[in-house]
Amino acid sequence: MSLEWSATLIISVVAAVTLLARQIRIADPILLVIAGIGLAFVPGLPKIAVDPKALLLAVLPPMLFWHAFIVTPREIRANALAVGLLALPLVALTVAAVAAVLHLVAGLPWAVAVVAGAILGPTDPVAFLTVARRLGVSPRLVGLLDGENLLNDFTALVVYGLAVDAVLSGAFSITDAPFTLLATAVGGIAIGLLVGYLVSIINSRVSHALVAPIVTLSGAYLAFLPAEALHVSAILAAGVAGRVAGARSAVVDEPQSRLVGYGFWNTLIFLLTAILFVLVGLQLPLAVQGTASDIGVLKICLLVTVAVVLTRLLFTLGIGLSLPNVARRMSKAGYRWPWAESLVAGWSGMRGALSLIMVMTLPGDFPYRDLLLIVTFSVLLATLLVQGLSLPLVIRWLPVERDNLTKQEIALVRDAAHAAASDRLNAMEALGEIRPDEADRLRSMYRWRQSSAAMETKDIELNLIRAERAEILQMRRRDVISDEVMRELEAELDMRVVILTGETPFSG
């Protein structure tokens, strides 16, 4: 099969997976895994050689940056101790459990086994977040797992880097490691702060909606690459830069830039994830050929998967039972973390894109690389298919706290914002900056937006917008207006639809 036809097939599969995931309401990573396996067995697909360093530098910076950009700090702060326990001790225990299995059962050297443990240490929240948003899980639990993922990426990548260096150099100093870790962390944070503020300053002076996302994307690489070159924590640099830029986005970015930017980033991250799964799928047969394909490999994969799943389940349940003062709901609720939510948190430990990046960026001559690739893909497949597909049922069956807070907060903020606008309107009228009849019309508009009647007429307004759009298209077909005018008017209609339906690009 030629390269052109192979690329056509891969692109078609990714597009089909995207459409199918929306139709059957299954998280994209789950179907991407299945698609990657299917592509691996298509006869005639060419062997694609991937430069591990190039893959790391191309994919990891935007993923780290964007996850930090959109993370919710309030829920993380409210669950800071619980997040810390999941992101630090749990990752360490997972690394130890995986390393012990691979050393004792497969005979891998401890340093190589620790690399495998670091690869499988971080979780991927994409599948959980997709299900959680659809089923209305409480923001506290979503924020807990989101914050855990942000921090356990850093923990796992630090362990991964130290272990890989130990394997390749044959030397590791336990006394020097803490000082090295501290120095690289401080350097990474400093670069991240500088780049994050630089991105926000530039975006505050950018008025074009298509330029701002490019500036933001550049920030991901401007944080990661210099940090990598200076041998400080590139992971922290990209993460801190993303968090600073995300925190300041509401203040400095233009509304059009935010709408375009969120759509751009959600698409980019999905494409990067899809590419990773496809690349692993294409390389998996080569790894299988390079490893003894006997029952022993299957046994190793099964034992590692059990170790990963059981370690997380026992740890999260242990937090709820032995440390009730740590595992709490959001601070304003102040209740104990029930066992049901501990179980959901434990069952949400799917592995994903970061594990794939780490295993694929191992040097080609790394010891047991093929076995680590097979084990990683097996754990990823098992957790996404078994845990990912059953997670909606688990959430429905268990008495998990639902999201009763978001709607209340939205209503509260809308009332406060409308009150502020009304006060400002009164002040402008008193100063003579607006005529009384204009002020009355604006007051009527605000009262209408807050009324229940406005929601009841939503379908009628959407129908009217469709009529406007049809007339605009007719005028374009008759050459009464240009394409540029049509797109300008279409943008206005699209914004009105977004406001009416509430379907924004901000949540992915």
Side-chain angles (χ1 to χ4, degrees):
M1 186 183 296
S2 68
L3 182 61
E4 291 81 5
W5 283 113
S6 300
T8 301
L9 175 62
I10 292 171
I11 293 171
S12 300
V13 167
V14 171
V17 166
T18 307
L19 295 173
L20 184 60
R22 300 302 183 273
Q23 291 295 321
I24 62 179
R25 300 171 72 85
I26 291 180
D28 298 319
I30 298 173
L31 292 185
L32 285 170
V33 169
I34 300 172
I37 296 173
L39 284 171
F41 295 100
V42 173
L45 275 180
K47 297 177 178 62
I48 299 178
V50 179
D51 182 354
K53 190 69 173 178
L55 182 68
L56 174 71
L57 297 181
V59 175
L60 193 55
M63 284 188 166
L64 293 171
F65 184 94
W66 184 241
H67 189 194
F69 190 100
I70 61 174
V71 78
T72 306
R74 185 185 67 175
E75 278 71 31
I76 295 176
R77 288 194 299 268
N79 296 278
L81 289 178
V83 168
L85 288 171
L86 293 178
L88 298 172
L90 178 55
V91 171
L93 287 174
T94 303
V95 171
V98 172
V101 170
L102 290 175
H103 177 74
L104 298 175
V105 177
L108 270 64
W110 274 112
V112 177
V114 169
V115 171
I119 289 171
L120 295 172
T123 56
D124 191 327
V126 174
F128 168 76
L129 292 176
T130 302
V131 174
R133 290 191 182 109
R134 190 171 74 237
L135 298 181
V137 175
S138 71
R140 183 204 56 79
L141 184 57
V142 171
L144 173 68
L145 296 181
D146 211 12
E148 175 214 355
N149 180 255
L150 185 64
L151 294 179
N152 70 20
D153 286 356
F154 167 70
T155 307
L157 283 165
V158 168
V159 176
Y160 171 83
L162 293 174
V164 169
D165 288 343
V167 172
L168 297 179
S169 66
F172 176 73
S173 174
I174 191 67
T175 56
D176 293 341
F179 298 101
T180 302
L181 178 61
L182 180 61
T184 58
V186 171
I189 291 172
I191 292 176
L193 288 171
L194 176 64
V195 173
Y197 278 103
L198 180 64
V199 167
S200 63
I201 290 171
I202 294 174
N203 276 342
S204 68
R205 290 163 170 76
V206 170
S207 58
H208 201 293
L210 296 180
V211 176
I214 304 303
V215 173
T216 310
L217 178 61
S218 301
Y221 292 103
L222 289 174
F224 190 95
L225 297 179
E228 187 76 6
L230 294 171
H231 303 291
V232 297
S233 178
I235 302 100
L236 271 180
V240 170
R243 183 79 294 272
V244 171
R248 292 174 57 82
S249 173
V251 178
V252 302
D253 292 353
E254 294 292 329
Q256 298 90 334
S257 299
R258 283 193 293 272
L259 286 171
V260 172
Y262 274 77
F264 165 81
W265 274 97
N266 286 326
T267 302
L268 174 66
I269 298 301
F270 172 80
L271 287 177
L272 292 176
T273 304
I275 290 169
L276 280 174
F277 282 112
V278 169
L279 288 175
V280 171
L282 293 176
Q283 294 198 14
L284 193 60
L286 299 176
V288 173
Q289 291 174 9
T291 306
S293 55
D294 56 17
I295 195 68
V297 175
L298 295 177
K299 176 184 176 183
I300 292 169
C301 293
L302 178 61
L303 289 175
V304 172
T305 302
V306 171
V308 167
V309 174
L310 276 183
T311 300
R312 182 177 180 86
L313 272 174
L314 293 175
F315 190 87
T316 54
L317 288 171
I319 291 178
L321 294 174
S322 61
L323 298 172
N325 292 326
V326 173
R328 291 181 179 274
R329 299 176 186 268
M330 283 190 298
S331 56
K332 66 168 61 177
Y335 301 126
R336 286 182 56 177
W337 189 6
W339 64 268
E341 293 187 293
S342 298
L343 187 57
V344 169
W347 200 244
S348 301
M350 286 77 76
R351 268 54 183 178
L354 184 59
S355 295
L356 291 181
I357 292 174
M358 286 194 283
V359 75
M360 291 189 68
T361 52
L362 289 173
D365 58 349
F366 193 84
Y368 302 94
R369 185 181 189 275
D370 290 338
L371 178 60
L372 297 189
L373 180 62
I374 294 172
V375 169
T376 301
F377 197 80
S378 299
V379 173
L380 184 144
L381 178 65
T383 56
L384 280 177
L385 291 184
V386 177
Q387 294 180 295
L389 289 176
S390 62
L391 186 61
L393 298 177
V394 172
I395 292 175
R396 287 191 183 101
W397 288 343
L398 294 176
V400 178
E401 181 191 9
R402 301 298 177 177
D403 183 7
N404 298 317
L405 188 64
T406 299
K407 290 183 179 178
Q408 297 175 9
E409 289 184 348
I410 289 175
L412 177 66
V413 172
R414 279 179 175 164
D415 288 343
H418 288 166
S422 179
D423 292 342
R424 177 60 178 159
L425 185 60
N426 292 335
M428 293 174 68
E429 185 180 12
L431 293 172
E433 297 177 3
I434 186 173
R435 296 198 310 269
D437 59 325
E438 292 176 338
D440 289 339
R441 280 197 298 271
L442 289 171
R443 288 192 188 93
S444 299
M445 181 187 72
Y446 272 95
R447 283 195 297 268
W448 171 257
R449 286 181 181 175
Q450 289 183 280
S451 67
S452 58
M455 293 302 298
E456 294 172 0
T457 60
K458 181 179 72 173
D459 291 338
I460 298 175
E461 287 192 62
L462 291 173
N463 199 359
L464 296 177
I465 290 173
R466 283 192 290 271
E468 290 185 64
R469 194 185 305 276
E471 180 60 26
I472 291 171
L473 292 174
Q474 283 292 338
M475 295 180 71
R476 173 62 192 91
R477 293 190 189 102
R478 298 196 304 267
D479 284 332
V480 177
I481 59 174
S482 66
D483 280 20
E484 183 177 357
V485 172
M486 181 192 69
R487 284 192 291 268
E488 184 74 21
L489 295 171
E490 266 190 329
E492 293 179 9
L493 296 180
D494 291 342
M495 286 299 299
R496 287 165 60 189
V497 170
V498 166
I499 293 171
L500 287 170
T501 60
E503 296 177 359
T504 72
F506 293 89
S507 58

